[in-house]
């Protein structure tokens, strides 16, 4: 409901201040939805299918990127940015209806120790939980540091036209969908064995971007792999963290992990900009 209302207000906003508040409300709604949806997905399936269930939630997020970015851009260019938000409001409203009609009922968790501030601190301060949250924050900060500037890099370094830049971004989106599919095939007990592989791939692709971007086919392929590796890591970490704390605190830790992912959007672009400012290109 918050997402639908925020999009509707954005569609009729007549000042920057109103639009800014509406977008902040939209961000709150997205973070809340992803945390609660992950918790519902885990609770609605047997333990062996929990990774697949959480990956399917993030798969919806990935598909939204693949479809929403080009469609939103086309609608905005053809009819103005207000029209893009009208479309967003309609889709959010459909999502709201889907939640009300189809969301499975899950048993209420036992009373959580996280009902108090001290309980929250104890859960979050647990060493494995802190490690998992740090992996999310550090991984996505590095990812965002590069991805923020990917469109101008594809234009300036790879020499791609605006049309091919759009194709490259769609390729990235398809990679995120593929990553989610791969993540969904990992059983919960195997997450820690599998997780180092996509993290290493992500680090390697980021490290070699300076070379890959100089060759258009390699740049396109690297972007697909970048999306796939990132979206293997995210649902695996989310599932593992929620399993570490149990159902009673799963919502809290899912929200914390989503916050870590969101907060990567602040230092990431700053670090990327600082790197560009060194003059190394």
């Amino acid at each position: 409901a918050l997402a639908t209302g925020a999009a509707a207000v954005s569609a009729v906003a007549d000042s920057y201040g109103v639009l800014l508040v509406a977008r902040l409300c939209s961000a709150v709604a997205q973070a809340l939805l992803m945390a609660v949806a992950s918790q519902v997905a885990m609770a609605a399936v047997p333990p062996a299918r929990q990774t697949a269930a959480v990956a399917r939630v993030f798969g919806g997020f990935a598909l939204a990127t693949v479809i929403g970015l080009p469609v939103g851009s086309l609608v905005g260019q053809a009819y103005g940015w207000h029209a893009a938000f009208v479309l967003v409001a309609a889709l959010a409203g459909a999502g709201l209806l889907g939640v009300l009609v189809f969301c499975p009922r899950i048993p209420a968790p036992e009373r959580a120790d996280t009902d108090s501030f001290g309980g929250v601190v104890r859960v979050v301060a647990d060493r494995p939980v802190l490690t998992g949250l740090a992996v999310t924050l550090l991984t996505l900060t590095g990812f965002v540091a590069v991805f923020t500037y990917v469109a101008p890099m594809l234009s300036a370094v790879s020499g791609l036209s605006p049309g091919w830049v759009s194709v490259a971004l769609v390729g990235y989106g398809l990679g995120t969908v593929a990553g989610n599919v791969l993540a969904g095939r990992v059983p919960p007990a195997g997450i820690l064995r599998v997780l180092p592989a996509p993290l290493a791939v992500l680090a390697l692709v980021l490290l070699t971007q300076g070379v890959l971007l100089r060759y258009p086919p390699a740049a396109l392929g690297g972007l697909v792999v970048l999306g796939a590796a990132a979206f293997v890591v995210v649902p695996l970490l989310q599932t593992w963290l929620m399993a570490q704390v149990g159902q009673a605190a799963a919502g809290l830790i899912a929200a914390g992990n989503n916050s870590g992912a969101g907060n990567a959007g602040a230092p990431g672009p700053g670090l990327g900009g600082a790197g560009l400012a060194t003059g190394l290109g």
Side-chain angles (χ1 to χ4, degrees):
L2 179 60
T4 304
V9 172
S10 299
V12 299
D14 58 357
S15 70
Y16 179 76
V18 172
L19 183 61
L20 177 61
V21 171
R23 302 322 300 146
L24 287 170
C25 290
S26 179
V28 170
Q30 178 184 309
L32 180 60
L33 175 67
M34 294 301 290
V36 176
S38 298
Q39 186 180 16
V40 171
M42 279 193 71
V45 298
R49 293 178 53 204
Q50 287 178 343
T51 309
V54 174
R56 186 168 294 182
V57 171
F58 282 90
F61 188 79
L63 271 176
T65 305
V66 176
I67 300 169
L69 282 175
V71 171
S73 296
L74 288 172
V75 171
Q77 290 167 8
Y79 303 105
W81 64 268
H82 287 90
F85 283 120
V86 171
L87 177 62
V88 173
L91 292 172
L96 170 59
L97 183 62
V99 168
L100 294 174
V101 175
F102 296 111
C103 187
R105 294 193 176 276
I106 60 172
E110 300 174 4
R111 186 172 178 82
D113 186 35
T114 54
D115 290 342
S116 66
F117 179 75
V120 170
V121 172
R122 281 191 292 275
V123 169
V124 175
D126 185 57
R127 185 175 177 180
V129 172
L130 270 180
T131 302
L133 293 173
V135 171
T136 295
L137 178 62
L138 293 172
T139 300
L140 292 181
T141 296
F143 168 77
V144 174
V146 170
F147 192 74
T148 300
Y149 302 96
V150 73
M153 286 193 294
L154 289 170
S155 298
V157 182
S158 304
L160 298 181
S161 67
W164 276 105
V165 170
S166 297
V167 169
L169 292 175
V170 170
Y172 159 78
L174 292 174
T176 66
V177 174
N180 267 280
V181 172
L182 291 173
R185 295 180 179 275
V186 179
I191 289 177
L192 287 186
R193 293 196 305 272
V194 172
L195 190 57
L199 284 169
V201 170
L202 186 61
L204 181 63
V205 174
L206 291 172
L207 185 66
T208 55
Q209 280 296 293
V211 175
L212 296 177
L213 283 166
R214 299 186 184 280
Y215 306 96
L220 293 172
L223 207 53
V224 174
V225 175
L226 196 67
F231 272 76
V232 171
V233 170
V234 171
L236 289 185
L237 273 171
Q238 183 92 318
T239 306
W240 183 80
L241 280 167
M242 293 168 72
Q244 292 301 298
V245 299
Q247 187 181 354
L252 166 72
I253 213 63
N257 196 44
N258 281 325
S259 295
N263 285 327
L271 288 171
L276 291 172
T278 62
L280 294 175

